[in-house]
Each structure stands twice: as structure tokens, then as C-alpha cells.
Amino acid sequence: MENEHRRLDAKFAQSLVDTVAVELNKNVNILDEHGVIIASFSRERIGQIHEAGAKMLQNGVVKEFYVSEEDEIDMPGTRNGFNVPIMFEEQCIGLIGVTGDQKTAEPYARLAARFVEANLQSNARQERLVGALTEKEELQSIFLNKIITIQEDERKRISRELHDETSQSLTSIIVGLRVLAEQVQSSEEQEKILEMRDLAVTTLEAVHHMAVELRPVLLDDLGLVAAAKKYIENYTKQYGISMYVDFNNLSRERFSPEVEITLYRILQEALTNIVKHGKAKQVWVSLNKKQDKLILLVDDDGVGFDTEIVRNSHSHTCLGIYGMRERVALVEGKFVIKSALGQGTKIFVEIPLKGKNCEKSIV
Ligand SMILES: Nc1ncnc2c1ncn2[C@@H]1O[C@H](COP(=O)(O)OP(=O)(O)OP(=O)(O)O)[C@@H](O)[C@H]1O
Ligand SMILES: [Mg+2]
């Protein structure tokens, strides 16, 4: 990269030469760090060695110099004119020469050299900024990946605990209360115990729902298709929205855990958004495998929204769409959301099933 900055761009050099040469009606040459002419008003000189320039660059004694008409005779390939070194990061990386008498040539040669140097510096600065930005973006993606993984692990752990511990305890309480209700004599006491049992049953249902939302056991055990179907079934029951589901060419096929959890979370968020914001009556969900890609489409006939406004709002409370986009990026997929007021919302996700996405090991 450093060496890249130091190299003079031949195209840029030539356009500078053309501008200065036309202005002055004199020839202008730009040499690279070896004394080779990389830009010249007389094109046939390009590629030739400028003897005086090459000598200066080789000795390492960097200074401006004038080639008089007499010198021209002694040194082949050298023209009468004023020559100024081009400096970058304290090194001489070339030379600019303007032909003609010293009085006219000197200020132009200096000006052109400073201009080339300023251009090199600005290119270097720009490259450094781009480099820093790329590094920042890479770091951001690594952090995000970590956050998502940690969050998923944590959800899995809590979901298991709710399922294995809390649900079991609640079930024991329910059974115990039923037995107790049978044993007491007073109907008043019996009623109270049964009320408590009903409360425990409702709590158990809520805990079960929470555990499934956090991480459905089905997803890990039977895979994306089974878990998605179950989620949609519960969703339809709960919200009464008509769902048209097409998982046509997929049955019990398994994908890598990252791909499965990504698509499951996107489906979850997309369907949650439809209930929260969409006021949709009908929703179409399709998940299909095409060649080596997995494609998810979620389409609703709801109120829609202005995607530009949401994209530019920078709201810290709207993380759903942002999260979907980021999750898809982490598995190198494509994410598109299309919506307009009164025209429903369409979500398109395409995930390549190659490389790391191929593994079928279960987390
Ligand atoms: N299916 C949809 N129909 C109508 N509007 C939608 C739909 N999906 C998203 N939106 C609009 O886009 C906005 C951003 O959605 P996003 O999921 O990012 O955030 P949120 O749902 O408001 O909050 P969060 O998901 O972080 O809890 C929503 O506030 C809503 O205005
Ligand atoms: Mg949302």
C-alpha cells in the first residue's frame, strides 16, 4: 500500500503535462523514480530515459537543476529546461521538467511539482481513510457476529432452563394442587386450590410460550422447516390472519445452524412486524431451495410503509429490519425489503448454501 502511494499515476501525469504544456507552449516531462519518462508533451519521448534526471535520481542527491543549451549537447536525451524533484514522504519519487529558458521554466516546473505532490498526498490520505473505514466495518461485523452468537446461546440456555426446570416445577405444582383439591373436604377450600391450579396452568402456558419464542426446541431437533411450520401454525391461531404457506420443495432437510437460526429469526421478526404495524389480512410465506440457494419470501397485504423514511430515521428503537439485514449479511446472503404506503410489504432473503453455510452440524 505504501509503495502504491509512491508511484506516480501515468494518466494523471500526462493530463498535467498536457495542461501545462498547452499553457506554456513548451514541452513538459515527468519522470518516474528511475528516470524513465512517463509523461511528455512529445509522446515519442515516453519510455525514454532522461539522462540528467536518471543521474540525479541514482546519486540520491536531490535538488532542482537547470539544463542549459550547452549541457544538452553533452547529454543525450536531455533537453534544455528546468527540473524539479517530486517529493513524497521525504523521498524523491520522480522529476518534473519544463523545457525552455530558466526564467520561464523554473516557476512552472516548481508549481507543477508541488501540484503533483499535493495530489499524491491527497490520494494517500484518501487511501488511509478507506483502509480505516474498511477495518472499522470488518470489526463491526465481527462484533455483531459475536453479539448475535452470544445472544442466541443465552436464549437457548434460558429457553432450556424454562423448559426443563421452570416448566417441570410448575407441572409438579399443578399435579400437587389437583391431588390436594381431591383431599380437602370443604368445597370452599377446594375451589381456592383449583383457582390456584388454574393460575399455575396459565403460568405454565406463558412459560412454554416464552421458551418457544426464545428458542424453539423444534428448531434444534427437527430443523427450520418443522420449526417454521409450527411457528406459523401458532401465529395463525393467535392472530387470525390468513396465511398461505409454500415450503414446497423442502421437507426435513437440514441446513447449517447459522442458516436455520437466521431464517427463523427473520420469519419471526417479519411476522411480528405484520401484527405490530401491518394490519394485514393475508400473508404469504414461501421457503424454497433453488440450486444452491435458500430463498425466503414474506409478503403481506397490509398498510405498508415508506422504506426511505425508516432507513433514514436512524431510530434506535427500530432494530428489527436492521437486525434482519445484519443477520443476512453474516451468512453472506441478500436481503431486500420492498414496501410503499397502502401497498403491503415484501421481504426477500436469499442465502447461498455453500462454504460455511453447508455444514449441517447442530449447535
Ligand atoms: N410489515 C410491515 N407493515 C407495515 N409497516 C412495517 C412493516 N414492517 C415494518 N414496518 C415499519 O417499519 C418500521 C421499522 O420496523 P422495525 O422492525 O425495524 O422496527 P419496530 O418493529 O418498530 O421495532 P423493533 O422491531 O425494534 O421492536 C416500523 O416501525 C414500521 O413503521
Ligand atoms: Mg420490528
Side-chain angles (χ1 to χ4, degrees), residues 189-245:
E189 276 173 350
Q190 197 173 41
E191 210 172 298
K192 275 210 172 106
I193 293 168
L194 288 177
E195 257 174 39
M196 263 152 68
R197 191 204 59 176
D198 289 348
L199 185 64
V201 169
T202 323
T203 313
L204 179 64
E205 277 166 10
V207 165
H208 178 74
H209 181 72
M210 215 189 294
V212 171
E213 280 287 316
L214 279 167
R215 176 89 176 199
V217 181
L218 264 186
L219 185 65
D220 295 320
D221 294 352
L222 294 178
L224 175 65
V225 177
K229 279 185 178 162
K230 187 75 192 162
Y231 186 81
I232 290 169
E233 190 189 309
N234 289 341
Y235 180 88
T236 317
K237 258 192 240 156
Q238 198 173 348
Y239 302 112
I241 297 175
S242 306
M243 301 283 294
Y244 302 92
V245 182

Side-chain angles (χ1 to χ4, degrees), residues 231-232 235-236 238-245 265-286 296-305 320-321 324 337-339 343-348:
Y231 186 81
I232 290 169
Y235 180 88
T236 317
Q238 198 173 348
Y239 302 112
I241 297 175
S242 306
M243 301 283 294
Y244 302 92
V245 182
R265 292 295 182 214
I266 288 172
L267 181 68
Q268 222 177 359
E269 175 60 24
L271 294 182
T272 306
N273 273 353
I274 292 172
V275 182
K276 242 167 100 177
H277 317 286
K279 302 194 180 80
K281 290 196 173 61
Q282 302 179 91
V283 176
W284 292 263
V285 178
S286 78
L296 171 73
L297 292 168
V298 183
D299 192 352
D300 73 64
D301 67 351
V303 294
F305 67 104
I321 296 174
M324 291 197 242
I337 182 159
K338 278 192 182 157
S339 190
Q343 289 177 33
T345 303
K346 272 189 175 56
I347 288 178
F348 168 90

Side-chain angles (χ1 to χ4, degrees), residues 4-268:
E4 242 351 82
H5 300 152
R6 294 210 168 100
R7 204 162 301 137
L8 286 166
D9 176 49
K11 263 200 195 140
F12 166 74
Q14 189 59 50
S15 66
L16 179 75
V17 160
D18 290 344
T19 318
V20 182
V22 165
E23 172 75 15
L24 276 179
N25 201 18
K26 296 277 182 204
N27 196 7
V28 178
N29 302 311
I30 295 184
L31 325 186
D32 68 8
E33 73 269 38
H34 308 294
V36 178
I37 300 173
I38 57 161
S40 173
F41 193 57
S42 75
R43 312 271 154 136
E44 66 275 10
R45 297 200 75 207
I46 293 175
Q48 286 180 14
I49 298 275
H50 186 289
E51 293 291 339
K55 217 181 219 171
M56 186 213 81
L57 289 158
Q58 273 157 23
N59 320 337
V61 186
V62 177
K63 59 178 192 328
E64 296 176 348
F65 63 92
Y66 179 62
V67 175
S68 66
E69 280 176 9
E70 295 83 64
D71 298 334
E72 220 178 48
I73 305 159
D74 301 336
M75 268 183 279
T78 305
R79 294 286 153 92
N80 155 234
F82 199 82
N83 299 279
V84 178
I86 300 168
M87 303 298 292
F88 181 71
E89 290 174 352
E90 289 168 20
Q91 274 190 35
C92 176
I93 55 152
L95 194 70
I96 187 152
V98 175
T99 57
D101 64 85
Q102 184 163 3
K103 210 166 133 243
T104 328
E106 188 177 327
Y108 277 98
R110 271 202 204 118
L111 192 69
R114 299 296 90 85
F115 185 70
V116 175
E117 286 165 359
N119 187 266
L120 285 166
Q121 275 157 12
S122 122
N123 283 352
R125 214 173 11 249
Q126 210 168 332
E127 264 175 54
R128 273 196 291 271
L129 282 176
V130 171
L133 202 67
T134 315
E135 202 177 315
K136 211 170 153 193
E137 273 170 5
E138 276 165 13
L139 268 179
Q140 196 180 8
S141 155
I142 293 171
F143 279 139
L144 206 75
N145 202 342
K146 266 227 135 56
I147 290 170
I148 290 178
T149 315
I150 293 171
Q151 190 194 38
E152 284 302 339
D153 286 349
E154 194 62 2
R155 281 179 174 179
K156 200 150 102 179
R157 194 185 60 76
I158 300 173
S159 169
R160 280 221 184 105
E161 206 155 300
L162 284 177
H163 184 264
D164 299 346
E165 304 287 331
T166 320
S167 294
Q168 294 308 323
S169 309
L170 279 168
T171 310
S172 305
I173 293 172
I174 292 165
V175 174
L177 286 171
R178 198 191 312 131
V179 173
L180 195 67
E182 279 163 14
Q183 284 169 359
V184 292
Q185 304 297 323
S186 127
S187 61
E188 205 180 315
E189 276 173 350
Q190 197 173 41
E191 210 172 298
K192 275 210 172 106
I193 293 168
L194 288 177
E195 257 174 39
M196 263 152 68
R197 191 204 59 176
D198 289 348
L199 185 64
V201 169
T202 323
T203 313
L204 179 64
E205 277 166 10
V207 165
H208 178 74
H209 181 72
M210 215 189 294
V212 171
E213 280 287 316
L214 279 167
R215 176 89 176 199
V217 181
L218 264 186
L219 185 65
D220 295 320
D221 294 352
L222 294 178
L224 175 65
V225 177
K229 279 185 178 162
K230 187 75 192 162
Y231 186 81
I232 290 169
E233 190 189 309
N234 289 341
Y235 180 88
T236 317
K237 258 192 240 156
Q238 198 173 348
Y239 302 112
I241 297 175
S242 306
M243 301 283 294
Y244 302 92
V245 182
D246 167 19
F247 286 172
N248 247 348
N249 63 2
L250 298 173
S251 51
R252 304 218 147 208
E253 205 165 336
R254 298 297 307 259
F255 308 99
S256 82
E258 288 79 14
V259 170
E260 295 202 329
I261 193 69
T262 299
L263 286 172
Y264 186 82
R265 292 295 182 214
I266 288 172
L267 181 68
Q268 222 177 359

